[in-house]
Amino acid sequence: MAIDILVAGRLPPNVLPQLEDRFRLHTLPRDDDEADAMLQEVGGSIRGLLTNAAQGAPEALLAALPNLEIISSSGVGTDALNVEIAEGRGIRVETTPGVLTDDVADGAIALMLATTRRLMQAERNVRAGRWLKDLPLGNRMTGKRLGILGLGKIGQALARRAVAFDMPIAYHQRNRNPEVPYTYHDSVVSLAEASDFLVVIVPGGPATENMVDAQVLDALGPEGILINVGRGSTVDQCELIRALQQGRIRAAGLDVLADEPHVPEALLELDNVVLTPHYASGTIETRLAMGQRVADNLLEYFGAE
Ligand code: NDP
């Protein structure tokens, strides 16, 4: 008997072609009424859910899939997957760890250089025929102090890159890592005080919500730059906008926002902000590797059944 799979999120292009001969695939409509109608019709037969870290597995969707056995998600973030509910029901949750680590670390370096060297302003000047007119100088990155909030797989890949920029490296997370040569701080405020660049790369979710608040931003100070490639929820976005407007920090490079894809007008108006659309893992190589993991996770789970 065919196995029914629900496709509820955008996926890399190599996923569905590998699965359509093996499974009966149902794509969740974007329109809420159409989605409800579809779930009423096929929800009970769905055994696998294909999604991504941003679109996740909302509670209401899980409730509409009483016979779900596996969630295969593209990405490593689990904050939108309702893991506790899923695991409580015995649903297996699979993500795509490892394959995107290097690109996200590269993305953080790109945002660090773009903010401190004012690359976007410089580029806009050239395109507007203004060359050097009214273009302030940027600041050096080499030798500046890097603070990493979350020295996990991506944080460590970032640290390895920062060594080549002669940056002294410090970090904060819940547990000190005895295997790395970097300086540990037992609070985010203390890390921010000791940093010229503070890079956020902890998971999202309630445990890290608004971890970067006004106090942390003030500890980073007027010469400090905040980079967020983790999750928007980790930074208090209203406080960040205020700090940028008031020059209490120098700049920010943000790949993730609190309410994606909504971008606050106040951020768009600021010259000292570089924004990318949750794009740090967005290379062809990584997306195809993520897609392969998503497909393999499903194929391996159902095996020869
Ligand atoms: P890892 O699990 O390898 O590392 C996460 C690190 O965060 C750990 O070292 C952990 O240390 C620390 N951490 C977790 N919870 C807390 C907490 N409450 N307080 C302080 N530190 C904490 O994950 P990755 O490095 O692979 O990925 C990190 C995150 O990056 C993902 O969860 C995802 O949200 C985001 N991401 C963003 C992408 C993008 O495109 N922008 C792409 C991929 C990932 P400890 O347990 O000691 O606290």
Side-chain angles (χ1 to χ4, degrees):
M1 213 168 72
I3 296 170
D4 289 285
I5 304 292
L6 184 67
V7 183
R10 200 138 37 110
L11 297 166
N14 57 337
V15 178
L16 299 184
Q18 298 189 55
L19 302 177
E20 55 202 8
D21 288 344
R22 171 78 176 83
F23 302 106
R24 193 156 51 208
L25 301 176
H26 307 267
T27 301
L28 191 68
R30 279 166 183 263
D31 177 84
D32 285 347
D33 291 338
E34 287 175 32
D36 284 347
M38 183 222 230
L39 289 172
Q40 274 187 10
E41 193 185 324
V42 301
S45 67
I46 298 294
R47 295 175 61 195
L49 174 63
L50 288 169
T51 186
N52 64 50
Q55 276 148 323
E59 216 176 320
L61 179 62
L62 291 180
L65 307 174
N67 296 309
L68 189 64
E69 295 170 40
I70 177 170
I71 299 170
S72 179
S73 175
S74 180
V76 295
T78 55
D79 47 304
L81 292 178
N82 279 303
V83 176
E84 249 173 60
I85 295 176
E87 290 182 348
R89 278 174 48 187
I91 299 166
R92 182 137 136 201
V93 179
E94 296 284 356
T95 61
T96 62
V99 293
L100 45 65
T101 301
D102 286 321
D103 280 335
V104 181
D106 290 352
I109 293 282
L111 285 172
M112 289 163 71
L113 283 167
T115 47
T116 196
R117 298 295 299 268
R118 300 182 188 273
L119 284 187
M120 312 318 283
Q121 282 161 276
E123 212 259 356
R124 283 195 294 271
N125 256 39
V126 175
R127 285 185 189 274
R130 295 161 55 80
W131 204 241
L132 277 167
K133 196 168 186 306
D134 299 325
L135 183 66
L137 290 175
N139 287 84
R140 172 183 296 177
M141 183 157 110
T142 295
K144 295 287 166 64
R145 300 166 304 164
L146 171 63
I148 302 177
L149 175 53
L151 195 73
K153 288 183 283 299
I154 297 168
Q156 290 182 48
L158 171 61
R160 288 194 293 276
R161 285 152 175 75
V163 168
F165 286 89
D166 294 332
M167 301 180 86
I169 298 161
Y171 69 103
H172 167 73
Q173 57 188 12
R174 290 165 301 187
N175 306 292
R176 183 193 295 261
N177 181 343
E179 285 166 21
V180 297
Y182 318 125
T183 307
Y184 180 71
H185 288 258
D186 61 8
S187 78
V188 197
V189 170
S190 155
L191 178 68
E193 266 166 5
S195 302
D196 298 306
F197 290 85
L198 179 64
V199 178
V200 179
I201 186 62
V202 280
T208 58
E209 195 172 347
N210 291 340
M211 218 175 177
V212 175
D213 57 11
Q215 202 192 349
V216 171
L217 294 168
D218 285 329
L220 186 58
E223 295 305 316
I225 293 182
L226 180 80
I227 304 293
N228 190 1
V229 287
R231 282 291 180 269
S233 58
T234 306
V235 175
D236 184 329
Q237 198 161 278
C238 293
E239 289 298 342
L240 173 63
I241 291 169
R242 249 194 292 278
L244 286 163
Q245 287 169 333
Q246 296 168 353
R248 284 161 40 224
I249 67 167
R250 186 151 70 85
L254 307 173
D255 187 52
V256 287
L257 294 174
D259 180 26
E260 296 170 13
H262 171 69
V263 187
E265 201 58 38
L267 274 180
L268 295 172
E269 284 167 5
L270 286 163
D271 236 5
N272 51 349
V273 177
V274 176
L275 299 162
T276 49
H278 203 142
Y279 196 57
S281 71
T283 67
I284 292 168
E285 292 86 344
T286 282
R287 285 296 152 87
L288 292 178
M290 288 164 74
Q292 195 56 54
R293 288 290 290 267
V294 171
D296 287 346
N297 285 338
L298 208 64
L299 289 164
E300 280 163 21
Y301 177 80
F302 287 108
E305 187 185 330

Short mmCIF file of all heavy atoms in Angstrom, two decimals, residues 76-77 79 100 104 149-155 172-175 201-204 207-208 211 229-231 255-256 278-281, ligand 1:
data_model
loop_
_atom_site.label_atom_id
_atom_site.label_comp_id
_atom_site.label_asym_id
_atom_site.label_seq_id
_atom_site.Cartn_x
_atom_site.Cartn_y
_atom_site.Cartn_z
N VAL A 76 18.74 22.75 10.60
CA VAL A 76 19.09 22.15 11.89
C VAL A 76 18.27 22.73 13.05
O VAL A 76 18.25 22.17 14.13
CB VAL A 76 20.59 22.28 12.23
CG1 VAL A 76 21.42 21.49 11.26
CG2 VAL A 76 21.03 23.74 12.29
N GLY A 77 17.64 23.87 12.83
CA GLY A 77 16.85 24.49 13.90
C GLY A 77 15.62 23.63 14.21
O GLY A 77 14.93 23.17 13.30
N ASP A 79 13.42 24.74 16.74
CA ASP A 79 12.53 25.58 17.55
C ASP A 79 11.12 25.66 17.00
O ASP A 79 10.18 25.94 17.75
CB ASP A 79 13.12 26.98 17.73
CG ASP A 79 13.64 27.57 16.43
OD1 ASP A 79 14.49 26.92 15.78
OD2 ASP A 79 13.18 28.67 16.07
N LEU A 100 25.40 22.06 6.75
CA LEU A 100 25.33 23.50 6.51
C LEU A 100 26.29 24.30 7.38
O LEU A 100 26.39 25.53 7.26
CB LEU A 100 23.89 24.01 6.70
CG LEU A 100 23.08 23.54 7.92
CD1 LEU A 100 23.68 24.01 9.20
CD2 LEU A 100 21.65 23.99 7.78
N VAL A 104 27.13 28.51 7.02
CA VAL A 104 26.60 29.48 7.98
C VAL A 104 27.76 30.25 8.62
O VAL A 104 27.68 31.47 8.82
CB VAL A 104 25.70 28.80 9.04
CG1 VAL A 104 25.15 29.83 10.01
CG2 VAL A 104 24.55 28.06 8.36
N LEU A 149 28.34 33.75 20.86
CA LEU A 149 27.28 33.26 21.75
C LEU A 149 26.76 31.96 21.15
O LEU A 149 26.00 31.96 20.20
CB LEU A 149 26.16 34.31 21.84
CG LEU A 149 24.90 33.92 22.63
CD1 LEU A 149 25.25 33.44 24.03
CD2 LEU A 149 23.94 35.11 22.72
N GLY A 150 27.26 30.84 21.69
CA GLY A 150 26.89 29.51 21.17
C GLY A 150 28.04 28.89 20.39
O GLY A 150 28.10 29.01 19.18
N LEU A 151 28.98 28.25 21.13
CA LEU A 151 30.14 27.67 20.46
C LEU A 151 29.86 26.20 20.11
O LEU A 151 30.54 25.29 20.54
CB LEU A 151 31.38 27.78 21.35
CG LEU A 151 32.71 27.55 20.65
CD1 LEU A 151 33.07 28.72 19.75
CD2 LEU A 151 33.82 27.30 21.67
N GLY A 152 28.79 26.00 19.33
CA GLY A 152 28.46 24.65 18.86
C GLY A 152 29.19 24.39 17.55
O GLY A 152 30.28 24.91 17.32
N LYS A 153 28.54 23.59 16.69
CA LYS A 153 29.22 23.23 15.43
C LYS A 153 29.52 24.48 14.59
O LYS A 153 30.62 24.66 14.10
CB LYS A 153 28.33 22.25 14.65
CG LYS A 153 28.29 20.86 15.29
CD LYS A 153 27.48 19.88 14.49
CE LYS A 153 25.99 20.06 14.66
NZ LYS A 153 25.48 19.88 16.03
N ILE A 154 28.50 25.35 14.45
CA ILE A 154 28.69 26.54 13.62
C ILE A 154 29.62 27.53 14.32
O ILE A 154 30.52 28.10 13.71
CB ILE A 154 27.33 27.19 13.27
CG1 ILE A 154 26.48 26.21 12.45
CG2 ILE A 154 27.54 28.48 12.50
CD1 ILE A 154 25.02 26.62 12.28
N GLY A 155 29.40 27.71 15.63
CA GLY A 155 30.26 28.63 16.39
C GLY A 155 31.73 28.23 16.29
O GLY A 155 32.61 29.09 16.12
N HIS A 172 30.31 32.32 25.05
CA HIS A 172 29.43 31.97 26.16
C HIS A 172 28.44 30.92 25.68
O HIS A 172 27.94 30.98 24.56
CB HIS A 172 28.65 33.18 26.68
CG HIS A 172 27.53 32.76 27.61
ND1 HIS A 172 27.77 32.31 28.89
CD2 HIS A 172 26.19 32.66 27.42
CE1 HIS A 172 26.62 31.96 29.45
NE2 HIS A 172 25.65 32.17 28.58
N GLN A 173 28.19 29.95 26.51
CA GLN A 173 27.09 28.99 26.37
C GLN A 173 26.91 28.40 27.76
O GLN A 173 27.56 28.84 28.70
CB GLN A 173 27.41 27.93 25.31
CG GLN A 173 28.69 27.16 25.58
CD GLN A 173 29.09 26.26 24.42
OE1 GLN A 173 28.55 26.36 23.34
NE2 GLN A 173 30.03 25.37 24.66
N ARG A 174 25.97 27.45 27.91
CA ARG A 174 25.73 26.97 29.27
C ARG A 174 26.92 26.20 29.83
O ARG A 174 27.25 26.30 31.01
CB ARG A 174 24.46 26.11 29.30
CG ARG A 174 23.20 26.94 29.09
CD ARG A 174 22.03 26.08 28.76
NE ARG A 174 22.27 25.29 27.55
CZ ARG A 174 21.37 24.55 26.94
NH1 ARG A 174 20.16 24.48 27.43
NH2 ARG A 174 21.66 23.87 25.85
N ASN A 175 27.61 25.46 28.96
CA ASN A 175 28.72 24.62 29.43
C ASN A 175 30.05 25.07 28.84
O ASN A 175 30.15 25.27 27.63
CB ASN A 175 28.48 23.16 29.01
CG ASN A 175 27.11 22.69 29.47
OD1 ASN A 175 26.85 22.54 30.65
ND2 ASN A 175 26.21 22.49 28.51
N ILE A 201 24.80 32.63 17.67
CA ILE A 201 24.57 31.38 16.92
C ILE A 201 24.16 30.25 17.88
O ILE A 201 24.62 29.12 17.82
CB ILE A 201 25.78 31.05 15.98
CG1 ILE A 201 25.52 29.85 15.09
CG2 ILE A 201 27.10 30.96 16.72
CD1 ILE A 201 24.40 29.98 14.14
N VAL A 202 23.24 30.63 18.80
CA VAL A 202 22.57 29.63 19.66
C VAL A 202 21.25 29.24 18.99
O VAL A 202 20.73 29.97 18.16
CB VAL A 202 22.26 30.18 21.08
CG1 VAL A 202 23.48 30.16 21.96
CG2 VAL A 202 21.65 31.56 21.02
N PRO A 203 20.68 28.08 19.39
CA PRO A 203 19.35 27.73 18.87
C PRO A 203 18.29 28.73 19.36
O PRO A 203 18.49 29.40 20.38
CB PRO A 203 19.09 26.35 19.49
CG PRO A 203 20.42 25.84 19.92
CD PRO A 203 21.24 27.03 20.25
N GLY A 204 17.16 28.80 18.63
CA GLY A 204 16.05 29.63 19.09
C GLY A 204 15.23 28.91 20.14
O GLY A 204 15.68 27.91 20.71
N ALA A 207 14.34 29.03 25.70
CA ALA A 207 15.54 29.11 26.55
C ALA A 207 16.46 30.26 26.15
O ALA A 207 17.24 30.75 26.97
CB ALA A 207 16.30 27.79 26.50
N THR A 208 16.40 30.68 24.88
CA THR A 208 17.31 31.75 24.44
C THR A 208 16.54 33.03 24.05
O THR A 208 17.14 33.96 23.52
CB THR A 208 18.15 31.30 23.23
OG1 THR A 208 17.26 30.92 22.17
CG2 THR A 208 19.06 30.13 23.58
N MET A 211 17.70 36.81 24.76
CA MET A 211 18.96 36.70 25.51
C MET A 211 19.85 37.92 25.27
O MET A 211 20.55 38.38 26.16
CB MET A 211 19.69 35.45 24.99
CG MET A 211 20.39 34.67 26.01
SD MET A 211 21.02 33.20 25.20
CE MET A 211 21.85 32.53 26.58
N VAL A 229 23.17 35.16 13.21
CA VAL A 229 22.90 34.14 12.20
C VAL A 229 22.18 32.94 12.84
O VAL A 229 22.06 31.88 12.24
CB VAL A 229 24.18 33.65 11.48
CG1 VAL A 229 24.70 34.71 10.52
CG2 VAL A 229 25.27 33.25 12.47
N GLY A 230 21.73 33.12 14.09
CA GLY A 230 21.05 32.04 14.81
C GLY A 230 19.56 32.08 14.58
O GLY A 230 19.05 31.54 13.59
N ARG A 231 18.85 32.77 15.47
CA ARG A 231 17.41 32.94 15.35
C ARG A 231 17.03 34.35 15.80
O ARG A 231 17.58 34.85 16.79
CB ARG A 231 16.66 31.93 16.23
CG ARG A 231 16.61 30.53 15.65
CD ARG A 231 15.71 30.44 14.40
NE ARG A 231 15.65 29.10 13.83
CZ ARG A 231 16.47 28.64 12.89
NH1 ARG A 231 17.43 29.40 12.39
NH2 ARG A 231 16.34 27.41 12.43
N ASP A 255 20.94 38.03 9.68
CA ASP A 255 20.42 37.05 8.72
C ASP A 255 19.04 36.57 9.14
O ASP A 255 18.33 35.96 8.35
CB ASP A 255 21.39 35.86 8.62
CG ASP A 255 20.98 34.90 7.52
OD1 ASP A 255 20.76 35.36 6.38
OD2 ASP A 255 20.86 33.69 7.79
N VAL A 256 18.71 36.80 10.40
CA VAL A 256 17.44 36.30 10.94
C VAL A 256 16.75 37.42 11.70
O VAL A 256 17.40 38.27 12.30
CB VAL A 256 17.69 35.08 11.86
CG1 VAL A 256 18.05 33.85 11.05
CG2 VAL A 256 18.77 35.36 12.89
N HIS A 278 17.54 35.23 5.90
CA HIS A 278 17.73 33.87 6.45
C HIS A 278 18.42 33.01 5.38
O HIS A 278 17.90 31.99 4.96
CB HIS A 278 16.38 33.26 6.87
CG HIS A 278 16.54 32.17 7.90
ND1 HIS A 278 15.69 31.99 8.94
CD2 HIS A 278 17.49 31.20 8.04
CE1 HIS A 278 16.08 30.96 9.67
NE2 HIS A 278 17.18 30.47 9.13
N TYR A 279 19.59 33.45 5.01
CA TYR A 279 20.24 33.04 3.77
C TYR A 279 21.63 32.48 4.04
O TYR A 279 22.36 32.15 3.11
CB TYR A 279 20.34 34.32 2.92
CG TYR A 279 20.63 34.18 1.47
CD1 TYR A 279 19.81 33.43 0.65
CD2 TYR A 279 21.71 34.85 0.90
CE1 TYR A 279 20.06 33.35 -0.70
CE2 TYR A 279 21.97 34.78 -0.45
CZ TYR A 279 21.14 34.02 -1.25
OH TYR A 279 21.38 33.94 -2.59
N ALA A 280 21.99 32.35 5.33
CA ALA A 280 23.39 32.00 5.64
C ALA A 280 23.76 30.62 5.12
O ALA A 280 24.91 30.36 4.81
CB ALA A 280 23.64 32.11 7.14
N SER A 281 22.78 29.71 5.02
CA SER A 281 23.11 28.38 4.50
C SER A 281 22.75 28.30 3.01
O SER A 281 22.73 27.21 2.44
CB SER A 281 22.36 27.30 5.27
OG SER A 281 20.98 27.36 4.96
P1 NDP B 1 24.79 23.12 17.94
O1 NDP B 1 23.75 22.33 18.64
O2 NDP B 1 26.01 22.43 17.44
O3 NDP B 1 25.29 24.31 18.91
C1 NDP B 1 24.44 25.10 19.66
C2 NDP B 1 25.27 25.77 20.76
O4 NDP B 1 24.44 26.69 21.47
C3 NDP B 1 25.81 24.76 21.76
O5 NDP B 1 27.21 24.91 21.87
C4 NDP B 1 25.08 25.07 23.07
O6 NDP B 1 25.96 24.96 24.19
C5 NDP B 1 24.63 26.53 22.88
N1 NDP B 1 23.34 26.75 23.55
C6 NDP B 1 22.19 26.04 23.39
N2 NDP B 1 21.23 26.50 24.21
C7 NDP B 1 21.78 27.53 24.89
C8 NDP B 1 21.29 28.40 25.91
N3 NDP B 1 20.04 28.30 26.37
N4 NDP B 1 22.14 29.34 26.39
C9 NDP B 1 23.41 29.46 25.93
N5 NDP B 1 23.93 28.65 24.98
C10 NDP B 1 23.12 27.70 24.47
O7 NDP B 1 24.05 23.87 16.77
P2 NDP B 1 24.63 24.49 15.43
O8 NDP B 1 25.88 25.23 15.73
O9 NDP B 1 24.62 23.49 14.35
O10 NDP B 1 23.44 25.53 15.08
C11 NDP B 1 23.08 26.54 15.99
C12 NDP B 1 21.81 27.25 15.53
O11 NDP B 1 22.07 27.99 14.36
C13 NDP B 1 20.65 26.34 15.11
O12 NDP B 1 19.94 25.85 16.21
C14 NDP B 1 19.82 27.27 14.25
O13 NDP B 1 18.87 27.94 15.03
C15 NDP B 1 20.84 28.28 13.71
N6 NDP B 1 21.02 28.13 12.27
C16 NDP B 1 20.83 29.20 11.43
C17 NDP B 1 20.97 29.07 10.07
C18 NDP B 1 20.79 30.23 9.14
O14 NDP B 1 20.56 30.00 7.94
N7 NDP B 1 20.88 31.45 9.59
C19 NDP B 1 21.29 27.78 9.45
C20 NDP B 1 21.56 26.74 10.42
C21 NDP B 1 21.41 26.93 11.77
P3 NDP B 1 25.41 24.55 25.65
O15 NDP B 1 24.55 23.34 25.46
O16 NDP B 1 26.65 24.33 26.44
O17 NDP B 1 24.63 25.72 26.14
#
